[in-house]
Every structure is written in C-alpha cells, then in structure tokens.
Amino acid sequence: MFERVALVHYHEIGLKGRNRGTFERKLKDNIAFSLGDLAPQGVERVASRLVVPLASKSAEQALELISRIPGVASVADAYVTSRDPAEMERAATQAVLRAAPDASTFAVKARRSSTDYSESGHEMNVRIGAAVRAATGMAVDLGHPDVTCSIEVVQGAVYVYARRIESPGGLPVGTSGRVVALLSAGIDSPVAAWRMIRRGAVAIALHFSGRPQTDARSEEYARDICRVLERTGGLARLYVAPFGELQREISLAAPPDLRVLLYRRLMLRVAEKIAAVEGAKALVTGESLGQVASQTLDNIAAVDAVAPVPVLRPLICNDKLEIMAEARAIGTYELSTQPHTDCCTLFMPRNPATHATIEQVEAGEAGLDIDRMVDAALAGLSWTTFACASYRPPAQWREG
Ligand code: ATP
Ligand code: MG
C-alpha cells in the first residue's frame, strides 16, 4: 500500500510575488485548522503544493473539507511513491482502479518539476500508460479518456492520482481583512458573503430580526446559514439585532413609500458601528441591480449616502438564476428557501419608491431620533461565534 495524501494545488496565490510566502502560510494554517484531528501529521509545503497525509478512515471527510477552503484550486486524492519506476506504475494502476473501476479508457499525464529527474513527461506517459493498460485491460484514449491519471515528480517524491476535486480557488481567508456582511435569511446575501470569503475576507454576519413583531425563525435560519458558511473557514461571527420596534417607529413617522429605504439606511448605520468595533473595512449586501424596487441605482445611492465605509455588492451584476445556482453549490439554498418572515416585509407599503432622492429620504427621516435608534439596535445585540482561524473577538464583545 502507498501512503495516501491530499495534494492541494493553488494558482492565484502562486502569483503574488513577494507576498507569496505569507499567502502560502495562511493557506497551510487554514487547512490545518479546518482539519484539526483529521490531519495529525500536519500540512507540508512541497514546491508550490501543499501535502496533507491522510488516514484511510477519515480520508473522504478530509478531502471534502479541503475542497471548500478558499485559496484551494483543486485537491487530489493522491498516492506518494518513490522514483522507482515499478512503484510508480503500481500506484498509477491502483489510483485508476480506485477512482474509476468501471472506466474503459484512460490517459496518463506526467510532469516533472524536478530538474534532476531524467525521464521526460512523454517517456513517463508511454511507460506508465503501457503498465496500466496491461494491468487493467483499459484502452488508452488521449482525447476523451474516462479517467486521467496524473503523475507529478516533485523533489524527492512522486504523487500519483486519478481523482481531483475542483475547489473554490480565490485567496486564503485572513489575507483580505474583515467585512460586515448584512445577512438576511434569503437566497442572495449568503452568496454575497461567500464571495467575499472566497476573496480572502473574514465575514462578520449581521442579521436584523423582525422581533418582537415576528417570531425568531429568521434568526435560526440565519444561524443555520452561518453554520454552512463556517465550513469555509471564513465566517467568524453572527450578530443579531432586534429591529421590529424600530421598523414600527419608522412606519409611523415616515412616508410609506420610503419605508424600505429608511430601514436600509438604519441597517447600514448599525452595521457601520459594528464594523468600527470589529475593525471591518467594508459592508456587504446581496443586492443585484434592478432585482426589486429598493435596488435601483437611485435607491442604492440614497441608501449608501449614510455609509462612511464602502458598501460592497458582489452580486450587483448577477441574474437571480445565477445567484440561485451558486447558493445551491455552496449549500445555503435549501436553508434560504424555508418559509419565514423577513423583517423587510414588515409594514411593507403597496408602492415602494423606486427612484428616491437623498433629499427625500433625509426629509423622511426628519422626525426620527436616528442616534437613539442606532443605540437601541446595538443595545439589543446578541451574537454567536464560529470557528475561524483568523478571528479574535473585539474586547468589548468578547463572550459568547
Ligand atoms: P436576500 O435574498 O439576501 O434577502 P433580497 O433579494 O431579498 O436579498 P432585499 O430583501 O431587498 O433583497 O435585501 C437586500 C439586501 O439587504 C440583502 O441582500 C441583505 O444584504 C440586506 N438585508 C435585507 N434584509 C436583511 C435582514 N433582515 N438582515 C440583514 N440584512 C438584510
Ligand atoms: Mg430578502
């Protein structure tokens, strides 16, 4: 039997010039943190790859976990062999049979990253291909093989694999700072948060609950969504702010058609305060241009006017169907489509303004004591902390 490892490839972080070492170390630490006891021998860096020795009983679980980690382009279920030609051939045969026992065609793709290995890639392909054909009875097909066996000669070792899991790519979490992600229990905002995590940001989620005007279901769903995002290693905390009373106040004092925009402005003000405490440099929402009345360019401008930090909208140019497909891929779709009352639908007017101006929303807020409302939301905050290697809670909100 050969030693089995997860062979992790990354590309983008390999391009980072002088920062490369930092990015590689971060990725290595994130993988080790995510695997915990599943990687008792740790994670090793080997010539632009990371190698994680696997125990056979937990190998599948470890591969699955690694395949969700930002910065990982792909992870292969690989055998390690020496440079002994017969060993390479046996490992290739085993890898092919394990990955695709029913395949009828295969190809071998060998590469050498080490200059002190004399056999060329082509020579390895021919030699190992002949051995696999003889051992399995499969035919070689270089155009459309059922299974491809890769051989990588790297420093002292050879990695052999026929199964590779495509992974998110992007950057290791912790290399891009923190953001506060406004997280409803809907479909879009979890995808927006995920996209920021994939770019290396630590996401602090913030959910506004319609309580006491609604039940706590949206909070539970938001928490469940966070548990799914937690597996990427990039979701650090969920803050829940009670919002029902504040919405009632807005609905009593302001023109009905501006309600949703005033809710959003208040949400951003609260989010910005949390961002300041958390050291987060931007806010994130799941808005997409024109998707609903509040998401026109005019209304986005009217809402953003209160935010002293950038408000990022990773989904701004995506169609709903694309967002839904991505929600399915990251595993939040089912949770996001459970019935619940979002606080934004509370006191919903029949005809929301689609092209509000900043002057209009400011006039609409004139009768409200905004500072007190922000303080009330902050005073009611509760939170849940998740497993994230790059997160330390702020001193003033440490427990929990
Ligand atoms: P989503 O699918 O994310 O709920 P949506 O298409 O329903 O988005 P809106 O309800 O207009 O659109 O919300 C726009 C954005 O405002 C959301 O993507 C989210 O970032 C933020 N948001 C809305 N409701 C809440 C809430 N209850 N808590 C936190 N953020 C919210
Ligand atoms: Mg929504």
Side-chain angles (χ1 to χ4, degrees):
M1 272 307 275
F2 300 102
E3 187 193 357
R4 195 170 166 192
V5 299
L7 180 67
V8 176
H9 289 100
Y10 41 88
H11 29 79
E12 187 159 6
I13 58 178
L15 303 174
K16 289 279 168 182
R18 283 185 308 129
N19 291 332
R20 179 175 173 151
T22 316
F23 283 76
E24 286 175 329
R25 269 192 299 280
K26 200 76 189 173
L27 184 60
K28 183 170 172 251
D29 290 349
N30 289 352
I31 291 174
F33 181 87
S34 163
L35 294 181
D37 296 345
L38 300 183
Q41 298 177 61
V43 180
E44 198 195 345
R45 195 162 96 194
V46 184
S48 294
R49 296 157 179 80
L50 296 175
V51 175
V52 191
L54 300 175
S56 57
K57 63 178 184 330
S58 56
E60 285 305 319
Q61 195 189 345
L63 289 164
E64 218 270 324
L65 283 170
I66 296 170
S67 73
R68 293 171 183 273
I69 295 177
V72 175
S74 68
V75 54
D77 181 2
Y79 292 126
V80 190
T81 81
S82 70
R83 291 179 173 188
D84 173 44
E87 257 196 39
M88 287 161 73
E89 290 162 16
R90 271 191 293 123
T93 302
Q94 265 187 40
V96 164
L97 288 175
R98 174 198 272 278
D102 303 324
S104 45
T105 61
F106 74 97
V108 175
K109 265 197 198 150
R111 289 194 280 165
R112 48 173 189 180
S113 311
S114 305
T115 44
D116 65 341
Y117 184 76
S118 60
E119 201 180 13
S120 74
H122 179 69
E123 288 163 344
M124 281 190 275
N125 289 346
V126 172
R127 172 176 64 80
I128 297 168
V132 172
R133 191 177 50 200
T136 64
M138 294 179 195
V140 173
D141 178 348
L142 300 180
H144 300 282
D146 294 335
V147 54
T148 298
C149 181
S150 299
I151 319 274
E152 296 179 18
V153 181
V154 181
Q155 293 177 3
V158 180
Y159 300 97
V160 177
Y161 57 91
R163 173 175 165 233
R164 207 172 62 158
I165 310 169
E166 291 304 320
S167 306
L171 301 171
V173 166
T175 57
S176 301
R178 291 184 189 177
V179 296
V180 169
L182 280 79
L183 191 85
S184 70
I187 296 168
D188 302 338
S189 41
V191 177
W194 156 243
R195 290 221 187 150
M196 295 306 302
I197 292 170
R198 199 171 80 108
R199 293 308 301 169
V202 170
I204 314 288
L206 169 60
H207 177 70
F208 292 94
S209 155
R211 264 202 301 158
Q213 266 71 11
T214 64
D215 60 23
R217 228 172 329 157
S218 77
E219 299 170 32
E220 285 157 25
Y221 295 166
R223 201 167 297 121
D224 291 345
I225 287 168
C226 286
R227 294 222 178 278
V228 171
L229 294 176
E230 180 185 25
R231 291 185 228 146
T232 66
L235 194 114
R237 202 174 242 203
L238 167 67
Y239 287 98
V240 174
F243 211 56
E245 266 314 306
L246 300 172
Q247 287 181 280
R248 202 175 60 85
E249 243 183 87
I250 291 173
S251 69
L252 292 174
D257 63 334
L258 295 179
R259 273 178 201 161
V260 175
L261 298 180
L262 301 191
Y263 300 162
R264 279 294 139 66
R265 281 164 63 96
L266 189 56
M267 285 182 179
L268 288 194
R269 289 178 174 114
V270 174
E272 185 269 316
K273 295 282 187 220
I274 294 174
V277 173
E278 286 281 1
K281 299 292 190 305
L283 311 181
V284 179
T285 77
E287 285 155 312
S288 149
L289 188 61
Q291 193 188 86
V292 295
S294 59
Q295 299 176 12
T296 63
L297 286 179
D298 286 321
N299 286 352
I300 287 172
V303 169
D304 272 15
V306 300
V309 293
V311 180
L312 306 178
R313 295 180 167 83
L315 308 182
I316 195 73
C317 292
N318 284 99
D319 290 350
K320 192 76 187 186
L321 287 178
E322 293 166 341
I323 300 168
M324 286 161 63
E326 200 166 333
R328 286 200 182 89
I330 63 177
T332 55
Y333 183 83
E334 298 298 324
L335 297 169
S336 292
T337 47
Q338 303 171 96
H340 66 275
T341 312
D342 184 74
C343 70
C344 289
T345 53
L346 278 183
F347 316 108
M348 189 67 157
R350 202 171 315 198
N351 293 306
T354 49
H355 299 283
T357 63
I358 294 179
E359 294 71 35
Q360 284 169 335
V361 289
E362 283 177 353
E365 272 171 2
L368 294 165
D369 183 350
I370 297 288
D371 290 345
R372 182 191 45 76
M373 295 171 87
V374 171
D375 288 345
L378 292 172
L381 278 186
S382 59
W383 56 82
T384 309
T385 308
F386 298 92
C388 173
S390 305
Y391 182 69
R392 300 285 164 276
Q396 79 185 78
W397 293 331
R398 178 88 66 205
E399 277 77 42

